Amino acid sequence: ITSIDVSPLDTDIITAGTDDGNVWVTENGGANWTKVSSNLPERWVTRVVCDPHDSETIYVTFSGLKWHDYLPHVFRSTDLGANWEDIGLDLPEVPVNDLIVDPLDRQRYWIATDLGVMESMDSGLSWHPLGEGMPVAIINDLDFNNDSRRLLAATFARSMYSIQLPQIITSSDQNDFQ
């Protein structure tokens, strides 16, 4: 197992990825697992992610570096892996190592790639490099603190970077101004 994630909305839903390109989902806390990767590339699963907004939406990222495949592999399923959509079509040809969905904005994603951090504001339709001062380096891992709106990026041999992201005003925040 190279990656595992538990749904923040339903702890019985767990997704796991393996180094042989397989993705597995359980809907009963691990009692039974279903392989859901038959239509996905046979590459190293770098991250599986359960969506913070919808318990049936999951994401998977892959690296094909071991096979000299530099294509970005980012997929989303809205039915727990029964069907997959490639959301990495607008990315540069580099492996993808991690993915985070903004817990306040369901259309905003960040991914860690071998060329830095990329951001999408439209659910993966288009991607652009994130921030200024970020190195063009291998980013292995991302972490996000929603309270401070700070994204942390861990690199391969270039230290860690912290990016302050803009605050998002939610509908409950808007009620405070009335």
Side-chain angles (χ1 to χ4, degrees):
I1 294 176
T2 55
S3 182
I4 191 165
D5 197 22
V6 178
S7 171
L9 305 173
D10 181 349
T11 57
D12 281 338
I13 297 175
I14 305 169
T15 305
T18 60
D19 63 355
D20 58 358
N22 289 315
V23 178
W24 302 83
V25 173
T26 179
E27 297 179 64
N28 56 14
N32 302 95
W33 291 84
T34 303
K35 183 177 169 183
V36 295
S37 50
S38 60
N39 294 325
L40 295 173
E42 292 182 26
R43 298 292 181 254
W44 184 283
V45 175
T46 53
R47 192 72 69 210
V48 292
V49 175
C50 295
D51 191 273
H53 305 281
D54 178 17
S55 63
E56 297 213 354
T57 298
I58 57 176
Y59 305 84
V60 62
T61 63
F62 296 90
S63 173
L65 193 60
K66 179 178 164 182
W67 297 269
H68 303 289
D69 171 11
Y70 303 104
L71 296 177
H73 298 291
V74 184
F75 293 87
R76 173 181 52 223
S77 173
T78 58
D79 52 15
L80 291 175
N83 297 288
W84 292 96
E85 173 188 11
D86 188 344
I87 60 170
L89 298 174
D90 189 40
L91 288 167
E93 293 186 10
V94 294
V96 179
N97 304 313
D98 199 356
L99 179 142
I100 291 181
V101 178
D102 190 322
L104 294 180
D105 182 351
R106 65 179 39 216
Q107 294 185 339
R108 190 174 193 181
Y109 307 156
W110 300 284
I111 58 170
T113 75
D114 281 8
L115 284 177
V117 177
M118 304 292 286
E119 177 180 47
S120 175
M121 303 290 280
D122 55 13
S123 301
L125 292 175
S126 62
W127 296 90
H128 59 85
L130 175 67
E132 294 181 18
M134 278 292 295
V136 177
I138 297 170
I139 307 294
N140 291 322
D141 193 27
L142 295 174
D143 196 17
F144 182 67
N145 182 303
N146 192 43
D147 292 337
S148 66
R149 301 289 300 162
R150 186 166 294 279
L151 183 73
L152 301 173
T155 72
F156 180 78
R158 296 278 311 260
S159 189
M160 289 184 62
Y161 289 81
S162 174
I163 303 165
Q164 182 64 52
L165 299 169
Q167 294 293 327
I168 294 178
I169 297 176
T170 64
S171 58
S172 63
D173 293 336
Q174 290 174 353
N175 292 335
D176 293 340
F177 296 113
Q178 296 175 358

